[in-house]
Amino acid sequence: MDGAQGRPGRVFMLRIDDGEKLVENLGSYIRENDISTGSVSLVGAVKWARIVTPDIEKKPMPDRESMLEKYMEVVGHGDIVGGKVHIHAAFGEKGGNGYCGHLVEAEVFVFVEAVIQEIEGIEARREHDPKTGFKKLVLNS
Amino acid sequence: MDGAQGRPGRVFMLRIDDGEKLVENLGSYIRENDISTGSVSLVGAVKWARIVTPDIEKKPMPDRESMLEKYMEVVGHGDIVGGKVHIHAAFGEKGGNGYCGHLVEAEVFVFVEAVIQEIEGIEARREHDPKTGFKKLVLNS
Amino acid sequence: MDGAQGRPGRVFMLRIDDGEKLVENLGSYIRENDISTGSVSLVGAVKWARIVTPDIEKKPMPDRESMLEKYMEVVGHGDIVGGKVHIHAAFGEKGGNGYCGHLVEAEVFVFVEAVIQEIEGIEARREHDPKTGFKKLVLNS
């Protein structure tokens, strides 16, 4: 476990439009506004979503990408580290049946709305972690 | 895509009680406290929930309302625009099976607890969007 | 319904590592940093999760604990009251099928990352509520 202490910075509200890529556009907005560290929450709907979920039978990377090819409501949360966004989301298809995963990309249906809270005073980055094979969040206050 | 920049304002913590309507009471609290723009997160349980999920076979409004008639845990997130709250939530029934959707209304089971973060410096409103047929988030810093 | 008004305090970003207990470590960090009132959001993955979901056939306590014995992605949100964290989370197993519940404990897979927003100016505690049999959030500004 490792942690760092900062303070709230700017807050952004964002609308991503029908047919636009959710993660790509959110990432562009974050870069254009120089948001280095923060958290993000989003609500909306998508026409499809590419997600990653754990698949411990796959080696060496214990993850697997899945394509959810359906219109779904979405509620997601993530963090921003080194200007890059990392989102996990829950999805509900017609009737409400639920899905969840690490969001790789999705196409917006109608609208997605996001709120970004910038965090000041924390320098966060990701570094390759030999132990897990994944990018590790490294923190300095 | 469109976005606007603001800053954190007041923070509210709220308890909604057993048998009370979740969205109606949250909406009343937001109006009473003059929270125009913000974000909200909630955790708790519900006795039923009315949700909207996409149904692209229905015209002209490609949405469908579903009634989840079961006791469920809930975790939700949303935004506040023009003093009105818009929440998407994930639900777990007995044993954990999951649902998700745009939350229209729910009856609280035991308690729901919410945290509201007001956003200052952003003027947000919803306007009818002829292209999608839905209300569109319009933003000004 | 009851609510209280405060203001944003410190913000923390936290990494919990592979094999560590999610709720236990998050709770330790909150105590070590004297975070009395706040909200928390988390994303990551887990090897298993113990959750509570409503089971209204059980008396007197209408809840039931379930063990989700599978590797899952997770996105969660909760509040901090009297220095104790209370989290509900959505989970996605291999392929994306979703679960949701009140998170009792989980073992971290690879990493879990959390953002904690402290709330100043609200004194919150939990008290036994004879009406529901649960702990009730009691608030003072």
Side-chain angles (χ1 to χ4, degrees):
Chain A
M1 184 173 59
D2 191 27
Q5 179 185 321
R7 58 192 178 276
R10 297 170 292 170
V11 182
F12 299 85
M13 192 173 258
L14 183 63
R15 187 198 70 239
I16 308 174
D17 291 307
D18 188 84
E20 292 185 329
K21 296 277 175 64
L22 198 172
V23 178
E24 181 185 313
N25 279 276
L26 185 54
S28 298
Y29 189 81
I30 288 166
R31 278 193 302 278
E32 283 162 18
N33 288 279
D34 269 323
I35 307 165
S36 181
T37 309
S39 68
V40 56
S41 295
L42 58 85
V43 296
V46 299
K47 299 180 185 183
W48 52 260
R50 273 169 44 219
I51 63 169
V52 165
T53 50
D55 183 355
I56 57 172
E57 290 150 27
K58 294 244 177 146
K59 299 289 178 189
M61 176 66 87
D63 270 339
R64 189 179 70 163
E65 202 169 295
S66 299
M67 183 65 170
L68 303 175
E69 292 237 44
K70 49 192 99 201
Y71 284 60
M72 301 176 289
E73 299 291 300
V74 61
V75 54
H77 175 75
D79 52 24
I80 300 166
V81 172
K84 286 185 184 164
V85 69
H86 167 217
I87 296 173
H88 288 205
F91 305 90
E93 67 183 337
K94 176 181 166 179
N97 185 41
Y99 300 85
C100 182
H102 168 113
L103 180 59
V104 178
E105 190 52 277
E107 183 182 338
V108 173
F109 176 53
V110 186
F111 299 116
V112 165
E113 298 167 2
V115 174
I116 299 168
Q117 173 66 65
E118 185 185 38
I119 302 173
E120 295 184 342
I122 295 178
E123 191 206 324
R125 63 184 193 282
R126 295 192 191 280
E127 285 181 2
H128 176 72
D129 176 43
K131 190 186 161 204
T132 61
F134 284 82
K135 293 279 186 179
K136 180 178 180 173
L137 171 63
V138 180
L139 293 160
N140 292 292
S141 286
Chain B
M1 184 173 59
D2 191 27
Q5 178 186 321
R7 57 192 179 275
R10 298 170 291 169
V11 182
F12 299 85
M13 193 174 259
L14 182 63
R15 186 197 72 241
I16 308 173
D17 292 308
D18 188 85
E20 291 184 331
K21 296 276 175 63
L22 200 171
V23 178
E24 181 185 313
N25 278 276
L26 184 54
S28 297
Y29 189 81
I30 287 166
R31 277 192 302 278
E32 285 162 17
N33 287 279
D34 269 322
I35 307 166
S36 180
T37 309
S39 67
V40 56
S41 294
L42 57 86
V43 296
V46 298
K47 300 180 185 184
W48 51 261
R50 273 168 45 219
I51 64 170
V52 164
T53 50
D55 182 354
I56 56 171
E57 288 150 28
K58 293 243 179 147
K59 300 290 176 189
M61 176 67 86
D63 271 337
R64 190 181 68 164
E65 202 169 293
S66 299
M67 182 66 171
L68 303 176
E69 292 236 44
K70 49 191 101 203
Y71 284 59
M72 301 175 289
E73 299 291 302
V74 60
V75 53
H77 175 75
D79 53 23
I80 300 166
V81 171
K84 288 190 183 159
V85 69
H86 167 217
I87 296 173
H88 288 204
F91 305 90
E93 67 182 337
K94 176 181 168 180
N97 185 42
Y99 298 86
C100 182
H102 168 112
L103 180 60
V104 178
E105 191 51 278
E107 184 183 336
V108 172
F109 176 53
V110 186
F111 298 116
V112 164
E113 298 168 3
V115 174
I116 300 168
Q117 173 67 65
E118 183 186 38
I119 303 173
E120 295 183 343
I122 295 177
E123 191 207 323
R125 63 184 191 281
R126 294 192 192 279
E127 285 182 1
H128 176 71
D129 176 43
K131 190 186 160 201
T132 61
F134 285 83
K135 292 278 187 180
K136 180 178 182 173
L137 171 62
V138 179
L139 293 160
N140 291 292
S141 287
Chain C
M1 183 172 60
D2 192 26
Q5 178 185 322
R7 56 191 180 276
R10 298 170 292 170
V11 182
F12 299 85
M13 193 174 257
L14 183 63
R15 187 198 70 240
I16 308 173
D17 292 309
D18 188 85
E20 292 184 331
K21 296 277 175 62
L22 200 172
V23 178
E24 181 185 312
N25 278 275
L26 184 55
S28 298
Y29 189 82
I30 288 166
R31 278 192 301 279
E32 284 162 17
N33 288 279
D34 269 323
I35 307 164
S36 181
T37 309
S39 67
V40 57
S41 295
L42 57 85
V43 295
V46 299
K47 299 180 185 184
W48 52 260
R50 273 170 43 222
I51 64 169
V52 165
T53 49
D55 182 355
I56 56 172
E57 288 150 29
K58 295 243 178 147
K59 300 286 178 186
M61 176 65 89
D63 270 338
R64 189 179 70 163
E65 202 169 294
S66 299
M67 182 66 170
L68 303 176
E69 293 237 45
K70 49 192 101 202
Y71 285 59
M72 300 176 289
E73 299 291 300
V74 60
V75 53
H77 175 75
D79 52 24
I80 300 167
V81 171
K84 287 186 183 162
V85 69
H86 166 217
I87 295 174
H88 288 203
F91 304 90
E93 69 182 336
K94 176 180 165 180
N97 185 41
Y99 299 86
C100 183
H102 168 113
L103 180 60
V104 177
E105 191 51 280
E107 183 183 337
V108 172
F109 175 53
V110 187
F111 299 115
V112 164
E113 298 168 1
V115 173
I116 300 168
Q117 173 66 63
E118 185 185 38
I119 302 172
E120 295 183 341
I122 296 178
E123 192 207 322
R125 63 185 193 281
R126 293 192 192 279
E127 285 181 2
H128 176 73
D129 176 43
K131 191 185 159 202
T132 61
F134 285 82
K135 293 277 187 182
K136 180 177 180 173
L137 172 62
V138 179
L139 292 160
N140 291 293
S141 286

